[in-house]
Amino acid sequence: MTDKKAHLQVDGLAESIELPVYSGSTGPDVIDVRALTSKGYFTYDPGFVSTAACESKITFIDGANGVLLHRGYPIDQLAEHSDYLETCYLLLNGELPNAEEKKSFVDMITNHTMVQESMARFFRGFHYNAHPMAMMCGAVGALSSFYHDSIDITNPEHRRISAHRLIAKMPTLAAMCYKHHIGQPFMYPNNKLGYAENFLHMMFGTPCDDPEVNPVLARAMDKIFLLHADHEQNASTSTVRLAGSSGANPFACIASGITALWGPAHGGANEAVLKMLDEIGDVSNIDKYVAKAKDKSDPFRLMGFGHRVYKNFDPRAKVMKESCDEVLRELGLENDPLLAIAKRLEEIALEDPYFVEKKLYPNVDFYSGIIMKAIGIPTDMFTVIFATGRTVGWIAHWSEMISETYKIGRPRQLYTGYDQRDFVPLDKR
Ligand code: CMC
């Protein structure tokens, strides 16, 4: 809170409307516009480009300077020194755990990795070639049908158990989506393995052949989860908050986040990047596609470039690029033709005035798609993996909202349809 006030002068109003101004711990001040309704006005901000929809203590982004902080800690420091589960603890609890707290959190998550056996029957109801994201939305929503014992959202212990169950079971469900898709038996989690390692085991192991997971790939996978863990009030997190504001249970809320993530402008971008690279097909076609991306009359965009918030660089992309180089070296894929297209595209976009002036930098999805392709993960699983990593962010925001006083989310509109008119009987139309 500050003593600062904003004054809104509207033509025709005798007096200006005084609005309070609040300061956060960092970032732009916000003008509290709630009093406008009583004066007969709504604010209008499609796409929420300048609307702070809530107060939060979890994540801070300074898009102009490429800064991303979780509970104050820079993302590059977390990526270098921490791991996914420790970052989950941080996001959920506000502080880094000490050694004992970390062990007990990791044990707790590891304890919950299995899903109810009837989930396997549930999966069998999906068509064999269903998109994994379609299965993921359904499977996560269905979790609420198994855990009646812990969906009282007013009970902090229930909220905590639901958070742990969701974080623990997402990799298991993600791998089940893949196994169902390719017609292989589901693999049970192996609780001797780490979080990302276990996921790769459930993805690529079979009952006949369960090879050891390459530690370089497990580390890269853990980084993918960590770098996607949270990103403040993006479309899917805002969806989770909005769904949660009605009092819906956490599993249903996370399922709603997954649906919002699916689109190519959000989490679907990592899949779209690989489809685009496939479509370009050869380095010699890049100029044609770059010209298409710059052509206003052509809807084509370079997938994996640009960001609503980052107008300098995406700090996650920097870390992901290093991880990408490490994975490609490990797998001897430095000369892969698809990766050659990606590298050239990156060079052009970083030099071309169109991309430079519009500040369209490669984003996290550009490199994560390349890493996952190199690991052997099919493109239609990419967004499922994003959802797996982001689950902790969604649940942390949902929990933060539910633990405080909140109102159901109910945006208003600028109505431009017909004014009231009389019904016309069918024979008169
Ligand atoms: N290729 C070509 N031109 C682009 C691109 C692109 N990828 N992104 C933006 N532009 C242009 C756009 O045409 C517009 O030009 P003008 O000012 O002349 O009209 C200008 O840049 C600003 O674009 P915008 O659509 O107003 O920007 P936005 O903030 O609404 O959109 C975005 C951000 C991420 C949706 C957009 O950059 C995009 O569609 N990128 C490709 C999809 C993608 O990679 N999405 C993943 C985002 S990161 C993961 C996540 O957080 O979910």
Coordinates of all heavy atoms in Angstrom, one line a residue, residues 56-117:
S56 N 0.2 -12.1 -5.3 CA 0.8 -13.4 -5.1 C 2.3 -13.2 -4.6 O 2.9 -12.1 -4.8 CB 0.9 -14.1 -6.5 OG 1.5 -15.3 -6.3
K57 N 2.8 -14.2 -3.9 CA 4.1 -14.1 -3.3 C 5.0 -15.2 -3.9 O 6.1 -15.4 -3.4 CB 4.1 -14.3 -1.8 CG 3.3 -13.3 -1.0 CD 3.4 -13.5 0.5 CE 2.9 -12.4 1.3 NZ 1.5 -12.0 1.0
I58 N 4.5 -15.8 -5.0 CA 5.2 -17.0 -5.5 C 6.4 -16.7 -6.5 O 7.5 -17.1 -6.3 CB 4.2 -18.1 -6.0 CG1 3.2 -18.4 -4.9 CG2 4.9 -19.3 -6.6 CD1 2.1 -19.3 -5.4
T59 N 6.0 -16.1 -7.6 CA 6.9 -15.9 -8.7 C 6.9 -14.5 -9.2 O 5.9 -13.9 -9.2 CB 6.6 -16.9 -9.8 OG1 6.9 -18.2 -9.4 CG2 7.3 -16.6 -11.1
F60 N 8.1 -14.0 -9.5 CA 8.2 -12.6 -10.1 C 8.9 -12.7 -11.4 O 9.9 -13.3 -11.5 CB 8.9 -11.7 -9.1 CG 9.2 -10.3 -9.7 CD1 8.2 -9.4 -9.8 CD2 10.5 -10.0 -10.2 CE1 8.4 -8.2 -10.4 CE2 10.7 -8.7 -10.7 CZ 9.7 -7.8 -10.8
I61 N 8.3 -12.0 -12.4 CA 9.0 -11.9 -13.7 C 9.2 -10.4 -14.0 O 8.3 -9.6 -13.9 CB 8.1 -12.5 -14.8 CG1 7.8 -14.0 -14.5 CG2 8.7 -12.4 -16.2 CD1 6.9 -14.6 -15.5
D62 N 10.4 -10.1 -14.5 CA 10.7 -8.8 -15.0 C 11.0 -9.0 -16.5 O 12.2 -9.4 -16.8 CB 11.8 -8.1 -14.3 CG 12.2 -6.8 -15.0 OD1 11.7 -6.5 -16.0 OD2 13.1 -6.1 -14.4
G63 N 10.0 -8.9 -17.4 CA 10.2 -9.3 -18.8 C 11.2 -8.4 -19.5 O 11.9 -8.9 -20.4
A64 N 11.2 -7.2 -19.1 CA 12.1 -6.2 -19.8 C 13.6 -6.6 -19.6 O 14.5 -6.4 -20.4 CB 11.9 -4.8 -19.4
N65 N 13.9 -7.2 -18.4 CA 15.3 -7.5 -18.1 C 15.6 -9.0 -18.0 O 16.6 -9.4 -17.6 CB 15.6 -6.8 -16.7 CG 15.7 -5.3 -16.9 OD1 16.3 -4.8 -17.8 ND2 14.9 -4.7 -16.0
G66 N 14.6 -9.8 -18.5 CA 14.8 -11.2 -18.5 C 15.0 -11.9 -17.1 O 15.9 -12.7 -17.0
V67 N 14.2 -11.4 -16.2 CA 14.4 -11.9 -14.8 C 13.2 -12.8 -14.4 O 12.0 -12.4 -14.7 CB 14.4 -10.7 -13.8 CG1 14.4 -11.2 -12.3 CG2 15.7 -9.9 -14.0
L68 N 13.5 -14.0 -13.9 CA 12.4 -14.9 -13.4 C 12.8 -15.4 -12.0 O 13.9 -16.0 -11.8 CB 12.2 -16.1 -14.3 CG 11.4 -17.2 -13.8 CD1 10.0 -16.8 -13.4 CD2 11.3 -18.3 -14.9
L69 N 12.1 -15.0 -10.9 CA 12.4 -15.4 -9.6 C 11.3 -16.3 -9.0 O 10.1 -15.9 -9.1 CB 12.5 -14.1 -8.7 CG 13.4 -13.0 -9.1 CD1 13.3 -11.8 -8.1 CD2 14.8 -13.4 -9.3
H70 N 11.7 -17.4 -8.4 CA 10.8 -18.2 -7.6 C 11.0 -17.9 -6.1 O 12.1 -18.2 -5.6 CB 10.9 -19.7 -7.9 CG 10.5 -20.1 -9.3 ND1 9.4 -19.5 -9.9 CD2 10.9 -21.0 -10.1 CE1 9.3 -20.0 -11.1 NE2 10.2 -21.0 -11.3
R71 N 10.1 -17.4 -5.4 CA 10.2 -17.0 -4.0 C 11.5 -16.2 -3.8 O 12.2 -16.4 -2.8 CB 10.2 -18.3 -3.1 CG 9.0 -19.2 -3.3 CD 7.8 -18.6 -2.6 NE 6.7 -19.6 -2.5 CZ 5.5 -19.3 -2.0 NH1 5.3 -18.1 -1.5 NH2 4.6 -20.1 -2.0
G72 N 11.9 -15.4 -4.8 CA 13.0 -14.5 -4.7 C 14.3 -15.1 -5.4 O 15.3 -14.4 -5.6
Y73 N 14.3 -16.4 -5.6 CA 15.5 -17.1 -6.1 C 15.5 -17.0 -7.7 O 14.6 -17.5 -8.3 CB 15.7 -18.5 -5.6 CG 15.9 -18.6 -4.2 CD1 14.8 -19.0 -3.3 CD2 17.1 -18.3 -3.6 CE1 15.0 -19.1 -2.0 CE2 17.3 -18.4 -2.2 CZ 16.2 -18.8 -1.4 OH 16.4 -18.9 0.0
P74 N 16.6 -16.6 -8.3 CA 16.7 -16.5 -9.8 C 16.6 -17.9 -10.4 O 17.3 -18.9 -9.8 CB 18.0 -15.9 -10.1 CG 18.4 -15.2 -8.8 CD 17.8 -16.0 -7.7
I75 N 15.9 -18.1 -11.5 CA 15.7 -19.4 -12.1 C 17.1 -20.0 -12.5 O 17.2 -21.3 -12.4 CB 14.8 -19.3 -13.3 CG1 14.3 -20.6 -13.8 CG2 15.3 -18.5 -14.5 CD1 13.5 -21.4 -12.9
D76 N 18.0 -19.2 -12.9 CA 19.3 -19.9 -13.4 C 20.0 -20.4 -12.2 O 20.7 -21.5 -12.3 CB 20.2 -18.9 -14.1 CG 20.3 -17.5 -13.4 OD1 19.4 -17.1 -12.8 OD2 21.5 -17.0 -13.5
Q77 N 19.9 -19.8 -11.0 CA 20.6 -20.4 -9.8 C 19.9 -21.7 -9.4 O 20.5 -22.6 -9.0 CB 20.5 -19.4 -8.6 CG 21.4 -18.2 -8.9 CD 21.5 -17.3 -7.6 OE1 21.2 -17.7 -6.5 NE2 21.9 -16.0 -7.9
L78 N 18.5 -21.7 -9.5 CA 17.8 -22.9 -9.1 C 18.2 -24.0 -10.1 O 18.4 -25.2 -9.7 CB 16.3 -22.6 -9.1 CG 15.8 -21.7 -8.0 CD1 14.3 -21.4 -8.3 CD2 15.9 -22.4 -6.6
A79 N 18.2 -23.7 -11.4 CA 18.6 -24.7 -12.4 C 20.0 -25.3 -12.2 O 20.2 -26.4 -12.4 CB 18.4 -24.1 -13.8
E80 N 20.9 -24.4 -11.7 CA 22.3 -24.9 -11.5 C 22.4 -25.6 -10.2 O 23.1 -26.7 -10.2 CB 23.2 -23.7 -11.5 CG 24.7 -24.1 -11.6 CD 25.6 -23.0 -11.6 OE1 25.2 -21.8 -11.9 OE2 26.8 -23.2 -11.3
H81 N 21.8 -25.1 -9.1 CA 22.1 -25.7 -7.8 C 21.0 -26.6 -7.2 O 21.3 -27.3 -6.2 CB 22.4 -24.6 -6.8 CG 23.5 -23.7 -7.3 ND1 24.8 -24.1 -7.4 CD2 23.5 -22.4 -7.6 CE1 25.6 -23.1 -7.8 NE2 24.8 -22.1 -8.0
S82 N 19.8 -26.4 -7.7 CA 18.7 -27.2 -7.1 C 18.2 -28.3 -8.0 O 18.9 -28.7 -9.0 CB 17.6 -26.2 -6.8 OG 16.5 -26.8 -6.2
D83 N 17.1 -28.9 -7.7 CA 16.5 -29.9 -8.6 C 15.0 -29.7 -8.6 O 14.5 -28.8 -7.8 CB 16.9 -31.3 -8.2 CG 16.6 -31.6 -6.7 OD1 15.4 -31.3 -6.3 OD2 17.4 -32.2 -6.0
Y84 N 14.3 -30.4 -9.4 CA 12.9 -30.2 -9.5 C 12.1 -30.3 -8.2 O 11.4 -29.4 -7.8 CB 12.3 -31.1 -10.6 CG 10.8 -30.9 -10.7 CD1 10.3 -29.7 -11.2 CD2 9.9 -31.9 -10.3 CE1 8.9 -29.5 -11.4 CE2 8.5 -31.7 -10.5 CZ 8.0 -30.5 -11.0 OH 6.7 -30.2 -11.1
L85 N 12.3 -31.4 -7.5 CA 11.5 -31.6 -6.2 C 11.8 -30.5 -5.2 O 11.0 -30.1 -4.5 CB 11.7 -33.0 -5.7 CG 10.9 -34.1 -6.5 CD1 11.1 -35.4 -5.8 CD2 9.5 -33.7 -6.7
E86 N 13.1 -30.1 -5.1 CA 13.5 -29.1 -4.1 C 12.8 -27.8 -4.5 O 12.2 -27.0 -3.7 CB 15.0 -28.9 -4.1 CG 15.4 -28.0 -3.0 CD 16.9 -27.9 -2.9 OE1 17.6 -27.4 -3.8 OE2 17.5 -28.3 -1.8
T87 N 12.7 -27.5 -5.9 CA 12.0 -26.3 -6.3 C 10.5 -26.4 -6.1 O 9.9 -25.4 -5.8 CB 12.3 -26.1 -7.8 OG1 13.8 -26.0 -8.0 CG2 11.7 -24.8 -8.4
C88 N 10.0 -27.6 -6.2 CA 8.6 -27.8 -5.8 C 8.3 -27.4 -4.4 O 7.3 -26.7 -4.0 CB 8.1 -29.3 -6.0 SG 8.0 -29.8 -7.7
Y89 N 9.2 -27.9 -3.5 CA 9.1 -27.6 -2.1 C 9.1 -26.1 -1.9 O 8.3 -25.5 -1.1 CB 10.2 -28.2 -1.3 CG 10.1 -28.0 0.2 CD1 9.6 -29.0 1.1 CD2 10.5 -26.8 0.8 CE1 9.5 -28.8 2.4 CE2 10.4 -26.6 2.2 CZ 9.9 -27.6 3.0 OH 9.8 -27.4 4.3
L90 N 10.0 -25.4 -2.6 CA 10.2 -24.0 -2.5 C 8.9 -23.3 -2.9 O 8.4 -22.4 -2.2 CB 11.4 -23.5 -3.3 CG 11.6 -22.0 -3.5 CD1 12.1 -21.4 -2.2 CD2 12.6 -21.7 -4.6
L91 N 8.4 -23.7 -4.0 CA 7.2 -23.0 -4.6 C 6.0 -23.2 -3.6 O 5.2 -22.3 -3.4 CB 6.8 -23.6 -6.0 CG 7.8 -23.1 -7.1 CD1 7.6 -23.9 -8.4 CD2 7.6 -21.6 -7.4
L92 N 5.9 -24.4 -3.1 CA 4.7 -24.7 -2.2 C 4.8 -24.1 -0.8 O 3.8 -23.6 -0.3 CB 4.6 -26.2 -2.0 CG 4.2 -27.1 -3.3 CD1 4.3 -28.5 -2.9 CD2 2.7 -26.7 -3.7
N93 N 6.1 -24.1 -0.3 CA 6.2 -23.7 1.1 C 6.9 -22.3 1.3 O 6.9 -21.8 2.4 CB 7.1 -24.7 1.8 CG 6.4 -26.1 1.8 OD1 5.3 -26.2 2.3 ND2 7.0 -27.0 1.1
G94 N 7.4 -21.7 0.3 CA 7.9 -20.4 0.4 C 9.4 -20.3 0.7 O 10.0 -19.2 0.6
E95 N 10.0 -21.4 1.2 CA 11.4 -21.4 1.6 C 12.1 -22.7 1.1 O 11.4 -23.7 0.9 CB 11.6 -21.4 3.1 CG 11.1 -20.1 3.8 CD 11.9 -18.9 3.5 OE1 13.0 -19.0 3.0 OE2 11.4 -17.8 3.7
L96 N 13.4 -22.6 0.9 CA 14.1 -23.8 0.5 C 14.1 -24.7 1.7 O 14.2 -24.3 2.9 CB 15.6 -23.5 0.1 CG 15.7 -22.8 -1.3 CD1 17.2 -22.3 -1.4 CD2 15.5 -23.8 -2.4
P97 N 14.0 -26.1 1.5 CA 14.0 -27.0 2.6 C 15.4 -27.2 3.2 O 16.4 -27.0 2.5 CB 13.6 -28.3 2.0 CG 14.0 -28.2 0.6 CD 14.0 -26.8 0.2
N98 N 15.6 -27.5 4.5 CA 16.9 -28.0 5.0 C 17.0 -29.4 4.6 O 16.0 -30.0 4.0 CB 17.0 -27.7 6.5 CG 16.0 -28.5 7.3 OD1 15.5 -29.5 6.9 ND2 15.6 -27.9 8.5
A99 N 18.1 -30.1 5.0 CA 18.3 -31.4 4.5 C 17.2 -32.4 4.9 O 16.7 -33.2 4.1 CB 19.7 -31.9 4.9
E100 N 16.8 -32.3 6.2 CA 15.8 -33.2 6.7 C 14.4 -32.9 6.0 O 13.7 -33.9 5.7 CB 15.7 -32.9 8.2 CG 15.0 -34.0 9.0 CD 14.9 -33.5 10.5 OE1 15.9 -33.0 11.0 OE2 13.8 -33.6 11.0
E101 N 14.1 -31.7 5.9 CA 12.8 -31.3 5.2 C 12.8 -31.8 3.8 O 11.8 -32.3 3.3 CB 12.6 -29.8 5.2 CG 12.2 -29.3 6.6 CD 12.4 -27.7 6.7 OE1 13.2 -27.1 5.9 OE2 11.8 -27.2 7.6
K102 N 14.0 -31.7 3.1 CA 14.1 -32.1 1.7 C 13.8 -33.6 1.6 O 13.1 -34.1 0.8 CB 15.4 -31.7 1.1 CG 15.5 -32.2 -0.3 CD 16.7 -31.6 -1.1 CE 16.7 -32.1 -2.5 NZ 17.7 -31.6 -3.3
K103 N 14.5 -34.4 2.5 CA 14.4 -35.8 2.5 C 12.9 -36.3 2.7 O 12.4 -37.1 2.0 CB 15.3 -36.5 3.6 CG 15.3 -38.0 3.5 CD 16.2 -38.6 4.5 CE 16.1 -40.2 4.4 NZ 14.7 -40.7 4.4
S104 N 12.3 -35.6 3.7 CA 11.0 -36.1 4.0 C 10.0 -35.7 2.9 O 9.1 -36.4 2.6 CB 10.6 -35.6 5.4 OG 9.6 -34.6 5.3
F105 N 10.3 -34.5 2.2 CA 9.4 -34.2 1.1 C 9.6 -35.1 -0.1 O 8.6 -35.6 -0.7 CB 9.7 -32.7 0.6 CG 8.9 -32.2 -0.5 CD1 7.6 -31.9 -0.3 CD2 9.4 -32.1 -1.8 CE1 6.8 -31.5 -1.4 CE2 8.6 -31.6 -2.8 CZ 7.3 -31.3 -2.6
V106 N 10.9 -35.5 -0.4 CA 11.1 -36.4 -1.5 C 10.5 -37.8 -1.2 O 9.9 -38.4 -2.1 CB 12.7 -36.5 -1.8 CG1 13.0 -37.6 -2.8 CG2 13.2 -35.1 -2.3
D107 N 10.7 -38.2 0.1 CA 10.1 -39.5 0.5 C 8.6 -39.5 0.3 O 8.0 -40.4 -0.2 CB 10.4 -39.8 1.9 CG 11.9 -40.2 2.1 OD1 12.6 -40.4 1.1 OD2 12.3 -40.3 3.3
M108 N 8.0 -38.4 0.7 CA 6.5 -38.3 0.6 C 6.1 -38.3 -0.9 O 5.2 -39.1 -1.2 CB 6.1 -36.9 1.2 CG 4.7 -36.5 1.0 SD 3.6 -37.5 2.0 CE 3.9 -36.7 3.6
I109 N 6.7 -37.6 -1.7 CA 6.3 -37.6 -3.2 C 6.6 -39.0 -3.7 O 5.7 -39.5 -4.4 CB 7.2 -36.5 -4.0 CG1 6.9 -35.1 -3.4 CG2 6.9 -36.6 -5.5 CD1 5.5 -34.6 -3.6
T110 N 7.7 -39.6 -3.4 CA 8.1 -40.9 -3.9 C 7.0 -41.9 -3.5 O 6.7 -42.8 -4.2 CB 9.5 -41.3 -3.5 OG1 10.3 -40.2 -3.8 CG2 10.0 -42.5 -4.2
N111 N 6.5 -41.8 -2.3 CA 5.5 -42.7 -1.7 C 4.2 -42.7 -2.5 O 3.4 -43.6 -2.4 CB 5.2 -42.3 -0.3 CG 5.6 -43.3 0.7 OD1 5.5 -44.5 0.4 ND2 6.0 -42.8 1.8
H112 N 3.9 -41.6 -3.2 CA 2.6 -41.4 -3.9 C 2.7 -41.6 -5.4 O 1.8 -41.2 -6.1 CB 2.1 -40.0 -3.6 CG 1.5 -39.8 -2.2 ND1 0.3 -40.4 -1.9 CD2 2.0 -39.2 -1.1 CE1 0.0 -40.0 -0.6 NE2 1.0 -39.3 -0.1
T113 N 3.8 -42.2 -5.9 CA 4.0 -42.2 -7.4 C 3.0 -43.2 -8.1 O 2.7 -43.0 -9.2 CB 5.4 -42.6 -7.8 OG1 5.7 -43.8 -7.0 CG2 6.4 -41.5 -7.5
M114 N 2.5 -44.2 -7.4 CA 1.6 -45.2 -8.0 C 0.2 -44.6 -8.1 O -0.2 -43.7 -7.3 CB 1.5 -46.5 -7.2 CG 2.6 -47.4 -7.6 SD 2.1 -49.1 -7.3 CE 1.9 -49.2 -5.6
V115 N -0.5 -45.0 -9.2 CA -1.9 -44.5 -9.3 C -2.8 -45.8 -9.0 O -2.3 -46.9 -9.2 CB -2.2 -43.9 -10.7 CG1 -1.5 -42.6 -10.9 CG2 -2.0 -44.9 -11.8
Q116 N -4.0 -45.5 -8.6 CA -5.0 -46.6 -8.4 C -5.0 -47.5 -9.6 O -5.0 -47.0 -10.7 CB -6.4 -45.9 -8.3 CG -6.9 -45.7 -6.9 CD -7.6 -47.0 -6.4 OE1 -7.9 -47.9 -7.2 NE2 -7.9 -47.0 -5.2
E117 N -5.0 -48.8 -9.3 CA -5.0 -49.8 -10.4 C -6.1 -49.6 -11.4 O -6.0 -49.8 -12.6 CB -5.0 -51.2 -9.8 CG -4.4 -52.3 -10.7 CD -3.0 -52.1 -11.2 OE1 -2.2 -51.3 -10.6 OE2 -2.7 -52.7 -12.2

